[in-house]
């Protein structure tokens, strides 16, 4: 809506807040207003027409409850008391159904208006719009209050994207946008995001000095904002992003760390007394990188504590002197493949700073002829193309007559999909849409101003390809194999015993659970 409305003054934001409510949508007011705003449909208030005077700020389209009341007073001859009764009926129509009582009175009043005799058709259209307000239409005062919040939020996001993103990350869970989407948007706007780490992170995400200027790393699509960005901070993810890590353990790690960083997994364990289970969660989240050890090496070190669990903390071995431990030495274990690392990040942090899952499948997608999200603006409207990505959101608003809006994300951005009810009624398509973690959609591209949609005609579940990243598969020139395997021998000749097959299946199940399943909104 914003790219179409293009607000240039505060009152435009007031209208933006009101126009996306179910009331104006149900009343058929959205498209007429947008057409008049962009000049597609001409409208000018008629001199001496009291109804036009009421609606001149919204180009002849009623968007606020106050306007509905003024229409009844100025256009249909209602008294202020009767108009207030109409307002109450609009608010309580589901319980009482009284709004219909005013219909004949309103229509007759408009047709018999002494200054402007309106036609029955026009009067009925006006009342239909007023009925739309019964579906949660906004008072102008409420819309203005929300618009002030919108303006303040937009100003902060524009000039200080690091502060804005950090605040959102520390306010989770908060509804529509998941942390991975907030992080992706911040990165696109040049903000440096740093990993959660036992030596560097607090409980929540914090701002710290970055290694670059935000404005120097902004993506090309946001280049016009370069001169508006004033911040130069990086965001350090908090340890609260580690899946299942108790807050009490996090606070203990931060408090005991003080000014002396931990130099090994054992050092952290002895100084904090954090349970082995929590150390495993930290290791799986790759939170020991500042010690120079990777995810697998950290897990290896944690497992090494299990045999001695408790021995170092017995009274006999306790001393008042500070504990001295050797720095963790790399175990020399095989490295995980990059795709496997990303899958583990999603499983333990709900996001990854190492890459995007779709980027490792790009060679396969190129063979399919799939268009990157970042390139959609170059496609001629009306062309049929394929897009693919992780399923982030499925929306089926009650005001959209059964239409479903889907958001897909690849490594370059997001694509907006429109699924008509007829396609969704197909059992196979419905199952594909609702169950896929990664989805390919083929359809016709439509563009209106800056808004681009793909009208879905066919959908394919690509989740099995996504799960291949968890246990190893070579996609073109990107080797994302298991760390203890390479690309050896021709396809199909590699034999695996029963345990290995079971391991692969477990890895795929973990990967399926780790990937975003898509948020559903109604």
């Amino acid at each position: 809506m914003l790219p179409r409305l293009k607000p240039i003054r505060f009152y435009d934001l007031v209208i933006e807040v009101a126009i996306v409510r179910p009331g104006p949508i149900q009343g058929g007011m959205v498209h007429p207003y947008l057409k008049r705003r962009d000049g597609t449909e001409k409208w000018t208030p008629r001199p001496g027409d009291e109804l036009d005077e009421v609606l001149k700020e919204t180009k002849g389209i009623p968007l606020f409850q106050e306007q509905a009341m003024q229409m009844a007073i100025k256009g249909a001859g209602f008294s202020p008391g009767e108009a207030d009764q109409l307002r109450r009926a609009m608010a309580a129509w589901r319980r009482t159904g009284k709004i219909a009582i005013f219909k004949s009175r309103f229509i007759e009043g408009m047709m018999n208006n002494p200054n402007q005799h309106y036609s029955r058709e026009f009067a009925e259209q006006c009342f239909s719009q007023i009925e739309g307000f019964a579906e949660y239409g906004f008072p102008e005062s409420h819309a203005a209050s929300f618009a002030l919040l919108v303006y303040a939020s937009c100003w902060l996001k524009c000039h200080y994207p690091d502060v804005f993103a950090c605040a959102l990350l520390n306010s989770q869970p908060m509804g529509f946008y998941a942390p991975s989407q907030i992080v992706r948007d911040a990165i696109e706007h040049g903000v440096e995001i740093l990993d959660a780490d036992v030596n560097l992170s607090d409980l929540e995400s914090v701002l710290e000095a970055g290694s670059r200027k935000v404005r120097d790393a902004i993506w090309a699509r946001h280049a016009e904002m370069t001169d508006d960005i004033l911040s130069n901070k990086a965001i350090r993810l908090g340890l609260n992003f580690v899946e299942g890590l108790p807050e009490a353990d996090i606070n203990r790690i931060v408090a005991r760390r003080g000014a002396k960083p931990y130099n090994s997994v054992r050092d952290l364990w002895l100084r904090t007394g954090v349970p082995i289970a929590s150390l495993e969660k930290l290791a799986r989240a790759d939170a020991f990188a500042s010690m120079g050890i990777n995810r697998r090496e950290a897990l290896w070190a944690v497992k090494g504590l299990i045999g001695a669990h408790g021995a170092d903390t017995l009274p006999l071995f306790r001393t008042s002197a500070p504990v001295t431990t050797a720095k963790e030495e790399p175990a020399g274990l095989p490295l995980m493949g990059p795709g496997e690392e990303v899958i583990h990040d999603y499983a333990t942090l709900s996001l990854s700073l190492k890459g995007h899952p779709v980027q490792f499948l790009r060679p396969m997608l190129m063979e399919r002829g799939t268009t990157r999200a970042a390139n959609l603006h170059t496609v001629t409207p009306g062309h049929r193309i394929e897009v693919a990505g992780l399923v982030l959101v499925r929306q089926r608003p009650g005001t959209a007559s059964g239409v479903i809006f889907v958001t897909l994300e690849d490594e370059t951005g997001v694509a907006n999909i429109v699924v008509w009810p007829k396609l969704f009624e197909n059992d196979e398509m419905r199952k594909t849409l609702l169950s896929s973690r990664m989805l390919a959609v083929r359809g016709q591209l439509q563009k209106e101003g800056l808004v681009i949609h793909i009208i879905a005609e066919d959908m394919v579940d690509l989740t099995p390809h996504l799960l291949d990243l968890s246990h190893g598969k070579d996609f073109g020139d990107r080797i994302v194999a298991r760390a203890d395997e390479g690309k050896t021998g021709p396809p199909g000749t590699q034999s695996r015993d029963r345990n290995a097959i079971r391991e692969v299946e477990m890895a795929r199940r973990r990967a399926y659970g780790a990937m975003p399943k898509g948020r559903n909104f109604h």
Side-chain angles (χ1 to χ4, degrees):
M1 183 67 72
L2 276 174
R4 296 184 63 186
L5 190 62
K6 299 177 182 177
I8 57 176
R9 57 179 183 146
F10 179 74
Y11 195 75
D12 292 338
L13 293 179
V14 179
I15 291 173
E16 166 70 23
V17 169
I19 205 170
V20 296
R21 299 290 294 176
I25 294 173
Q26 290 283 66
M29 308 168 198
V30 177
H31 290 293
Y33 176 81
L34 291 175
K35 288 179 179 178
R36 291 180 182 183
R37 181 174 175 81
D38 65 20
T40 304
E41 180 181 306
K42 301 296 182 182
W43 183 86
T44 53
R46 292 164 293 189
D49 191 311
E50 293 182 323
L51 205 57
D52 282 4
E53 282 298 311
V54 170
L55 303 176
K56 67 179 181 180
E57 287 294 328
T58 54
K59 300 188 180 299
I61 307 296
L63 298 178
F64 304 109
Q65 285 187 4
E66 291 91 339
Q67 288 179 314
M69 295 174 64
Q70 286 298 311
M71 287 172 65
I73 295 172
K74 301 291 186 181
F78 278 43
S79 68
E82 290 175 317
D84 187 61
Q85 290 179 354
L86 176 61
R87 179 191 62 81
R88 293 173 183 272
M90 286 190 293
W93 75 278
R94 284 188 182 275
R95 298 193 305 272
T96 64
K98 288 184 178 180
I99 193 170
I101 297 175
F102 296 92
K103 185 171 184 177
S104 58
R105 166 80 173 86
F106 183 91
I107 293 174
E108 290 176 7
M110 287 198 69
M111 293 175 63
N112 297 321
N113 186 295
N115 299 321
Q116 183 77 40
H117 293 285
Y118 299 103
S119 68
R120 172 174 289 275
E121 181 182 1
F122 181 75
E124 290 178 345
Q125 179 185 351
C126 289
F127 191 80
S128 176
Q129 291 175 326
I130 289 177
E131 283 183 309
F133 284 103
E135 287 283 356
Y136 311 106
F138 246 24
E140 186 178 29
S141 56
H142 287 195
S145 298
F146 274 94
L148 183 59
L149 295 176
V150 170
Y151 178 79
S153 300
C154 289
W155 187 93
L156 189 62
K157 186 179 187 302
C158 174
H159 298 295
Y160 296 94
D162 49 358
V163 176
F164 183 79
C166 190
L168 291 186
L169 292 174
N170 289 336
S171 301
Q172 297 295 316
M174 56 174 296
F176 196 81
Y177 295 107
S180 60
Q181 294 171 266
I182 296 170
V183 166
R184 176 188 57 79
D185 182 77
I187 291 173
E188 287 189 13
H189 287 82
V191 179
E192 185 178 5
I193 312 293
L194 304 174
D195 290 296
D197 190 283
V198 294
N199 278 324
L200 302 168
S201 294
D202 290 344
L203 170 65
E204 295 187 326
S205 300
V206 296
L207 297 173
E208 62 180 55
S211 62
R212 66 180 188 227
K213 291 185 177 180
V214 172
R215 58 187 298 160
D216 293 339
I218 195 167
W219 286 25
R221 76 179 68 167
H222 306 298
E224 63 181 0
M225 296 180 62
T226 300
D227 293 333
D228 296 314
I229 295 177
L230 306 176
S231 55
N232 287 305
K233 296 291 186 179
I235 299 175
R236 172 71 66 178
L237 296 181
L239 290 175
N240 60 348
F241 269 88
V242 178
E243 186 71 27
L245 187 62
E247 184 174 321
D249 290 345
I250 298 175
N251 289 331
R252 197 182 314 170
I253 290 170
V254 174
R256 300 285 173 85
R257 181 179 69 206
K260 182 183 178 183
Y262 304 109
N263 63 13
S264 69
V265 174
R266 185 171 180 272
D267 180 32
L268 185 150
W269 175 55
L270 292 177
R271 287 165 59 183
T272 64
V274 168
I276 296 292
S278 291
L279 293 178
E280 286 188 357
K281 290 181 174 68
L282 288 164
R284 294 185 187 281
D286 204 13
F288 291 97
S290 61
M291 299 178 187
I293 56 176
N294 60 39
R295 180 181 268 119
R296 276 185 169 171
E297 290 169 335
L299 275 170
W300 181 270
V302 171
K303 297 297 184 183
L305 298 175
I306 296 176
H309 185 47
D312 288 292
T313 57
L314 289 173
L316 179 63
F317 296 100
R318 285 182 180 171
T319 65
S320 58
V323 176
T324 58
T325 57
K327 183 178 179 180
E328 203 75 59
E329 292 294 331
L333 297 172
L335 297 175
M336 284 186 176
E340 196 174 358
E341 288 274 13
V342 169
I343 294 296
H344 275 77
D345 283 344
Y346 271 87
T348 56
L349 297 165
S350 77
L351 56 88
S352 179
L353 303 180
K354 299 181 179 71
H356 193 282
V358 177
Q359 78 184 70
F360 302 105
L361 303 177
R362 183 54 58 186
M364 179 269 292
L365 295 176
M366 290 177 66
E367 291 180 2
R368 292 177 59 93
T370 307
T371 303
R372 286 181 170 88
N375 295 336
L376 291 177
H377 70 283
T378 66
V379 179
T380 303
H383 280 203
R384 284 176 170 78
I385 61 170
E386 179 181 272
V387 293
L390 302 182
V391 181
L392 297 184
V393 177
R394 306 178 191 90
Q395 298 179 76
R396 195 179 191 182
T399 55
S401 303
V403 177
I404 299 175
F405 303 96
V406 183
T407 303
L408 302 183
E409 180 190 69
D410 67 14
E411 74 275 28
T412 69
V414 297
N416 298 308
I417 314 298
V418 176
V419 180
W420 294 113
K422 186 176 182 180
L423 183 66
F424 187 68
E425 289 169 3
N426 181 289
D427 291 340
E428 182 180 352
M429 292 293 100
R430 181 168 61 252
K431 180 181 178 181
T432 297
L433 176 60
L434 296 180
S435 64
S436 297
R437 295 292 201 265
M438 181 174 175
L439 185 68
V441 176
R442 182 167 288 276
Q444 188 180 72
L445 183 140
Q446 290 188 357
K447 185 175 182 179
E448 187 168 353
L450 299 176
V451 180
I452 299 175
H453 289 96
I454 309 299
I455 309 302
E457 297 173 356
D458 188 29
M459 296 179 285
V460 178
D461 186 359
L462 296 183
T463 307
H465 296 287
L466 185 65
L467 302 185
D468 285 336
L469 298 178
S470 64
H471 62 87
K473 190 166 183 178
D474 180 5
F475 291 92
D477 59 354
R478 291 187 182 272
I479 297 178
V480 288
R482 293 175 57 197
D484 55 351
E485 296 176 0
K487 182 183 177 186
T488 58
T493 64
Q494 198 173 46
S495 61
R496 297 183 179 181
D497 59 21
R498 190 175 304 170
N499 289 336
I501 294 174
R502 188 181 299 116
E503 181 184 341
V504 168
E505 182 57 34
M506 290 177 63
R508 292 175 68 86
R509 290 180 181 178
R510 286 194 296 268
Y512 185 81
M515 288 295 97
K517 62 181 180 180
R519 296 181 169 194
N520 298 323
F521 295 92
H522 298 277

